[in-house]
Amino acid sequence: MKRNIRISLKKNSLFCVCFAVLLIAFAAVPVQAQQTTVNLKIPELVKGSTVYATIEITNVTDLDAGQFDLSFNSSVLKVLNAENGSIGDMEIPLKWRSIDDGTVRVIFNLEGVTGISGFGQIARIGFEVIGEGEGDLLISNGLLGNIEANRINTDWGVTAAKDANQSTSGFGAVFALVGLIAVFCMFRSGRKT
Amino acid sequence: MTGNKFIIGMILTAILLGCMPTSAASDYTLGIFGNANGDDTIDAQDMEYTKCVVLGLNDQTQLADSKYDGQVNILDLTQIELIILGEEKELTLVDAAERIVTVKKPMDGNIISFGTYTPEILRILGEEDKIVAVNKYVKGNEIYFPELSKLPSIGSSYSPDLEIVASLNPELVLAWTTKPEKIEKLVEVVPENCSVVSLMFYKPENMVEEIGKLAYILGKRDEAKSYIDDFHNEYVDHIKALTENLPDDEQPEIYIESDRDEKYQTWAAGSAANGFIGIAGARNIFADIPGDGSINVDPEEVVGKNPDIIIKYIDTADAGYELDDPSKMKALRMSIMNRPELANVKAVKNGAVFVMDKDPIYGPDYPIAIAYWAKWSHPDLFEDLDPQAIHQKYIDIQGLDYDLNEHGVFIYPLLDEI
């Protein structure tokens, strides 16, 4: 009798823990979906080739302007140009300048103050690969502004190019689904005992 | 190859031109944060200038920090764009007391006006209906301010009744002082959401800039532009164009005397009056004395400087819109002509002694005074200038039903009596 109560308690506790994890997962998904992220997509560097570093943006709302510095290893890369990106049908009109040997500063300001929301590409920065080694491409001093001239809370930390296509909200959904299946299985096994 | 170099050169030139400050083309700098290039307006050039600051191509100017948060970045670009479109939520400016003030926008609430000239500007901007209190001079001037004279009075601009100010729930108090400590007392009594901004509308060199600032605050730039283009610049620029290159020996020397009881009180180099004289193509005989307030001078000095023209201000109680009889002006003129010590002064000997009401001298109507002074100084040069017509035009701008052909005494002798 006591053994049964203990087993029942153990299962209930486990259920509660799983349920709490699920709740957290579900709660986290919409929050992550609202976070504006900027990803730097870095191509494979082959000496003698021309490559483009792509700056991608997701989950942005009412974007009006932005700026960032893109630093790189100047013994490996030589900057050639910066091409306008786009979000939806809206082109991002860039201005850029090399501020030192290994850094370009890129800024943009959309026409008018109607802003743009969604995802897309801010810019493509073209490089000539002039040497061997790491490109050390890194975004710093990033700032996005909205149509009221306020800062947009942005995650600029993502530099893993190859993983950049894997969206955060998709990961959350998979995580939540796995949790749901686990709870279901536990619930079923509990009934059998 | 040569073609490429040419194109690159053109692009570089275009970038550099966009980045260049253009303040040299302006007479003044509009003291609003967002006027990055320091000229007289906020426009697309300020956006270009700020872009260049962010890119490190231009030096950072104080006014480029349009959000006034201590750094110049792309948020300032959007703020400038919002200012240009009149959609900004906040606006930061430098007021007449050299305070940096941030006002919330849009500004739709009650306005308290401390200055005497301020209500005239608010009428020009079409914002008269927002005024809820005025100073005692406006209160007492029923003909010139038929509606505003019915409003509560805050007393004098120098010692206002702060209880009345606080009780009227203002959103904007337009102070009239250059002393920051006086403004801080006001800030203490007004509601938290109320902005206190000092604008004087007093000196000719600041007039257009200050009207511009108030227009930006109230979102009335078109109305301000209309006054500036069609009235202020129409006459002041015309007069300046004819006087600014006159050699010294063709500029008559003027002695101006205040309307106060004290004789021989005049104005020095930094005064508004000194500015008016300069625009009119004349020279203030006391322009060598520094300071911007009134000064008392020795009669012997006036005699020694032997002015060509004497202009005597008369108190508004003895002239102006409320009177039609010039007898007090006439008597005042005679009293100057009869001062024994001035008997041999050129102005007295030639009858070039003029009495003028103070009303059209200071404030946004000052082009009227400039027109009279220019005409007195250079009758041939300004033969076609009609100061009374300019005055009537200003009255019409103010929306007053007042005919100068029938009412008012502002100068003596009249132009056709000289």
Side-chain angles (χ1 to χ4, degrees), chain A residues 165-185:
Chain A
N165 285 334
Q166 205 169 34
S167 73
T168 312
S169 54
F171 177 73
V174 170
F175 180 65
L177 195 64
V178 169
L180 197 63
I181 291 166
V183 170
F184 180 71
C185 291

Side-chain angles (χ1 to χ4, degrees), chain A residues 9-78:
Chain A
L9 271 174
K10 206 172 169 183
K11 280 182 177 166
N12 283 342
S13 304
L14 200 61
F15 175 77
C16 287
V17 169
C18 288
F19 190 71
V21 169
L22 256 180
L23 270 181
I24 291 165
F26 275 118
V29 168
V31 170
Q32 285 177 341
Q34 295 303 314
Q35 171 76 58
T36 300
T37 58
V38 174
N39 297 331
L40 173 60
K41 205 170 178 180
I42 306 166
E44 193 179 344
L45 307 181
V46 178
K47 191 178 174 186
S49 65
T50 297
V51 296
Y52 285 88
T54 309
I55 294 89
E56 296 183 336
I57 186 167
T58 56
N59 298 324
V60 72
T61 304
D62 293 338
L63 175 69
D64 183 65
Q67 70 179 79
F68 59 87
D69 292 346
L70 180 62
S71 57
F72 53 91
N73 182 348
S74 59
S75 59
V76 175
L77 297 171
K78 179 185 168 192

Side-chain angles (χ1 to χ4, degrees), chain B residues 194-216:
Chain B
C194 175
S195 302
V196 181
V197 180
S198 184
L199 295 169
M200 303 296 282
F201 307 113
Y202 181 66
K203 289 190 175 181
E205 62 269 30
N206 300 336
M207 186 66 67
V208 173
E209 192 217 348
E210 291 198 319
I211 290 174
K213 282 177 181 168
L214 189 54
Y216 271 93

Side-chain angles (χ1 to χ4, degrees), chain B residues 46-62:
Chain B
D46 296 295
M47 294 182 64
E48 288 305 312
Y49 188 92
T50 305
K51 280 179 192 172
C52 293
V53 172
V54 178
L55 286 171
L57 291 166
N58 274 351
D59 289 337
Q60 181 175 330
T61 59
Q62 188 193 20

Side-chain angles (χ1 to χ4, degrees), chain B residues 51-286:
Chain B
K51 280 179 192 172
C52 293
V53 172
V54 178
L55 286 171
L57 291 166
N58 274 351
D59 289 337
Q60 181 175 330
T61 59
Q62 188 193 20
L63 296 178
D65 182 12
S66 62
K67 277 181 67 75
Y68 192 57
D69 57 7
Q71 47 193 320
V72 176
N73 54 38
I74 48 89
L75 300 181
D76 297 299
L77 273 178
T78 303
Q79 171 71 357
I80 293 170
E81 207 166 8
L82 289 168
I83 293 171
I84 292 169
L85 295 169
E87 293 176 9
E88 73 277 20
K89 297 283 190 290
E90 289 184 344
L91 186 75
T92 304
L93 58 102
V94 185
D95 76 358
E98 299 292 322
R99 297 162 60 244
I100 294 174
V101 195
T102 298
V103 299
K104 298 282 181 197
K105 290 195 68 187
M107 186 71 73
D108 294 324
N110 295 342
I111 299 174
I112 295 181
S113 162
F114 275 46
T116 304
Y117 318 122
T118 314
E120 290 182 63
I121 309 285
L122 289 166
R123 277 205 297 220
I124 288 168
L125 299 180
E127 296 286 81
E128 182 185 9
D129 292 346
K130 289 183 183 169
I131 306 174
V132 293
V134 292
N135 71 22
K136 64 181 182 181
Y137 303 106
V138 174
K139 175 83 181 164
N141 197 341
E142 291 175 14
I143 289 183
Y144 196 67
F145 295 110
E147 298 301 323
L148 298 178
S149 59
K150 295 171 188 163
L151 296 174
S153 168
I154 52 102
S156 99
S157 308
Y158 297 106
S159 53
D161 185 331
L162 296 181
E163 276 186 30
I164 288 182
V165 173
S167 70
L168 291 168
N169 192 29
E171 191 178 358
L172 176 65
V173 171
L174 292 168
W176 199 78
T177 177
T178 54
K179 295 184 172 138
E181 62 275 14
K182 285 200 165 190
I183 299 172
E184 290 315 313
K185 284 184 185 166
L186 271 173
V187 172
E188 286 171 16
V189 301
V190 298
E192 203 173 316
N193 66 341
C194 175
S195 302
V196 181
V197 180
S198 184
L199 295 169
M200 303 296 282
F201 307 113
Y202 181 66
K203 289 190 175 181
E205 62 269 30
N206 300 336
M207 186 66 67
V208 173
E209 192 217 348
E210 291 198 319
I211 290 174
K213 282 177 181 168
L214 189 54
Y216 271 93
I217 291 172
L218 297 172
K220 293 286 178 179
R221 277 176 271 167
D222 288 344
E223 289 79 355
K225 188 175 185 310
S226 176
Y227 160 82
I228 291 164
D229 290 350
D230 300 340
F231 184 77
H232 183 277
N233 291 354
E234 170 87 12
Y235 301 114
V236 173
D237 287 358
H238 168 64
I239 293 167
K240 270 185 184 171
L242 293 175
T243 60
E244 63 189 355
N245 293 321
L246 286 173
D248 281 358
D249 60 359
E250 288 183 28
Q251 295 179 34
E253 292 190 303
I254 295 183
Y255 166 61
I256 295 209
E257 193 169 271
S258 89
D259 60 319
R260 292 169 200 154
D261 290 339
E262 284 176 89
K263 287 178 185 171
Y264 299 105
Q265 187 178 58
T266 187
W267 282 275
S271 64
N274 191 72
F276 299 145
I277 294 171
I279 295 169
R283 286 178 291 155
N284 176 10
I285 60 169
F286 291 109

Side-chain angles (χ1 to χ4, degrees), chain A:
Chain A
M1 182 67 179
K2 276 185 181 175
R3 191 169 170 271
N4 281 345
I5 290 171
R6 231 179 6 247
I7 290 168
S8 174
L9 271 174
K10 206 172 169 183
K11 280 182 177 166
N12 283 342
S13 304
L14 200 61
F15 175 77
C16 287
V17 169
C18 288
F19 190 71
V21 169
L22 256 180
L23 270 181
I24 291 165
F26 275 118
V29 168
V31 170
Q32 285 177 341
Q34 295 303 314
Q35 171 76 58
T36 300
T37 58
V38 174
N39 297 331
L40 173 60
K41 205 170 178 180
I42 306 166
E44 193 179 344
L45 307 181
V46 178
K47 191 178 174 186
S49 65
T50 297
V51 296
Y52 285 88
T54 309
I55 294 89
E56 296 183 336
I57 186 167
T58 56
N59 298 324
V60 72
T61 304
D62 293 338
L63 175 69
D64 183 65
Q67 70 179 79
F68 59 87
D69 292 346
L70 180 62
S71 57
F72 53 91
N73 182 348
S74 59
S75 59
V76 175
L77 297 171
K78 179 185 168 192
V79 68
L80 297 173
N81 62 352
E83 293 179 2
N84 294 346
S86 64
I87 296 175
D89 294 334
M90 177 87 76
E91 190 174 2
I92 309 286
L94 300 182
K95 282 206 170 193
W96 68 282
R97 175 179 173 250
S98 292
I99 55 173
D100 61 42
D101 272 355
T103 312
V104 287
R105 178 163 295 168
V106 179
I107 67 169
F108 64 88
N109 177 241
L110 301 182
E111 183 79 25
V113 279
T114 50
I116 184 78
S117 303
F119 63 92
Q121 228 175 50
I122 295 176
R124 275 175 21 115
I125 314 295
F127 292 98
E128 182 186 350
V129 185
I130 55 172
E132 289 176 352
E134 296 295 321
D136 295 338
L137 282 150
L138 185 69
I139 288 181
S140 60
N141 301 322
L143 172 64
L144 298 181
N146 67 14
I147 54 174
E148 293 188 344
N150 292 322
R151 186 181 291 263
I152 295 174
N153 186 21
T154 308
D155 178 3
W156 293 84
V158 185
T159 54
K162 276 130 196 161
D163 297 336
N165 285 334
Q166 205 169 34
S167 73
T168 312
S169 54
F171 177 73
V174 170
F175 180 65
L177 195 64
V178 169
L180 197 63
I181 291 166
V183 170
F184 180 71
C185 291
M186 280 166 40
F187 204 61
R188 276 188 58 140
S189 65
R191 276 191 172 176
K192 281 176 186 170
T193 53

